Amino acid sequence: MNVNLKADKYKLNVVEIGEYGKVYRVKCEAEKALPHIAAGQFAHLKVPGKDLRRPICVYDSDEKYITFIIADVGEGTHAFTSQKAGAEFDAVLPLGNGFPVIPDATNIAILGGGTGCAPLLKLAKDRPGINCTALLGFPNGKAREIYRDDFDEACTRVCYCTDDGSLGYHGYPTELLTEIAPEVLYVCGAPGMMKTAKQYAKTHGVIGFASVEQRMGCGVGACLVCSIKVNRGGREQLLRACADGPVFSLEELVL
């Protein structure tokens, strides 16, 4: 069992919570120094009034602060995002396997849609100087405001794409992949986006990785609730998104 034995429990205090429609930006201060958290890893948050924790990807972090982007989509996330500044809770982190870093890659692209952009920021932020292009898709220009100027400051180039044409490119971010021609592609978003990215990577011989979004129970690989299908070693098999992922190679994901 590939359980992350380095994970620990941390007490966090909410210092800022911003609402952007049904999506929230929650910045917290840790009671003790936080470890390095790789892009794509997640935290298991204790939710008020709920027995099961909720897995939330880490958007940004340093030794003192950690920030989450959380969509209010159910009872658990609603209970969490309803908290105010000053609220305390605990989190188990870091969990899961993050995005692999390809040391000799000089041209990478991060491809995200909506809240799926959140796991991708640290890919650029943790590697200052890397030639990183962000292709980010949203329904409209207002929906990107939750990310402020974070991607603009961390990436070499940012291409905002909107369904209604109110900001940047009018269309899907996957339509710009050929123009960018990355060596390595990192993806998180809707299944359709991942399928298109997988086909692009296969056609152009690009190394690709994707972070999957999956319901989880225990978060450490014991309950098998978050099983996903992959093709590994020439055969289809079920792996755990929490302990074996949530990052997998695009090539092996069965989408």
Side-chain angles (χ1 to χ4, degrees), residues 18-25 70-72 81 142-143 145-146:
E19 181 181 357
Y20 300 78
K22 297 289 285 184
V23 184
Y24 293 76
R25 181 182 177 119
I70 304 176
D72 182 353
T81 56
K142 189 172 181 60
E145 292 178 358
I146 192 167

Side-chain angles (χ1 to χ4, degrees), residues 153-167:
E153 294 170 358
C155 302
T156 309
R157 178 185 179 190
V158 180
C159 300
Y160 293 108
C161 307
T162 50
D163 296 345
D164 66 358
S166 58
L167 176 67

Side-chain angles (χ1 to χ4, degrees), residues 74-148:
E75 291 184 4
T77 49
H78 180 72
F80 189 85
T81 56
S82 295
Q83 299 180 104
K84 306 297 182 183
E88 290 186 349
F89 66 98
D90 70 68
V92 178
L93 61 90
L95 292 170
N97 299 298
F99 287 102
V101 173
I102 309 300
D104 56 348
T106 59
N107 179 22
I108 71 171
I110 56 180
L111 174 67
T115 54
C117 301
L120 303 171
L121 176 69
K122 285 173 68 64
L123 279 163
K125 193 168 183 179
D126 288 352
R127 297 181 67 194
I130 186 71
N131 181 20
C132 175
T133 299
L135 305 175
L136 310 178
F138 302 94
N140 52 61
K142 189 172 181 60
R144 70 147 297 272
E145 292 178 358
I146 192 167
Y147 297 108
R148 301 174 183 172

Side-chain angles (χ1 to χ4, degrees), residues 19-95:
E19 181 181 357
Y20 300 78
K22 297 289 285 184
V23 184
Y24 293 76
R25 181 182 177 119
V26 185
K27 183 177 182 179
C28 306
E29 183 176 5
E31 188 178 70
K32 60 181 179 180
L34 292 166
H36 172 71
I37 303 173
Q41 289 190 298
F42 66 95
H44 226 197
L45 308 183
K46 185 70 177 72
V47 179
K50 301 294 179 182
D51 294 329
L52 290 178
R53 293 175 177 270
R54 294 302 190 274
I56 302 293
C57 78
V58 175
Y59 173 59
D60 196 9
S61 67
D62 55 27
E63 287 191 355
K64 187 176 182 180
Y65 295 101
I66 184 168
T67 302
F68 306 99
I69 303 295
I70 304 176
D72 182 353
V73 294
E75 291 184 4
T77 49
H78 180 72
F80 189 85
T81 56
S82 295
Q83 299 180 104
K84 306 297 182 183
E88 290 186 349
F89 66 98
D90 70 68
V92 178
L93 61 90
L95 292 170

Side-chain angles (χ1 to χ4, degrees), residues 4-11 32 35 44 91-95:
N4 189 337
L5 298 178
K6 295 182 180 179
D8 199 357
K9 185 180 290 186
Y10 293 82
K11 183 174 289 186
K32 60 181 179 180
H44 226 197
V92 178
L93 61 90
L95 292 170

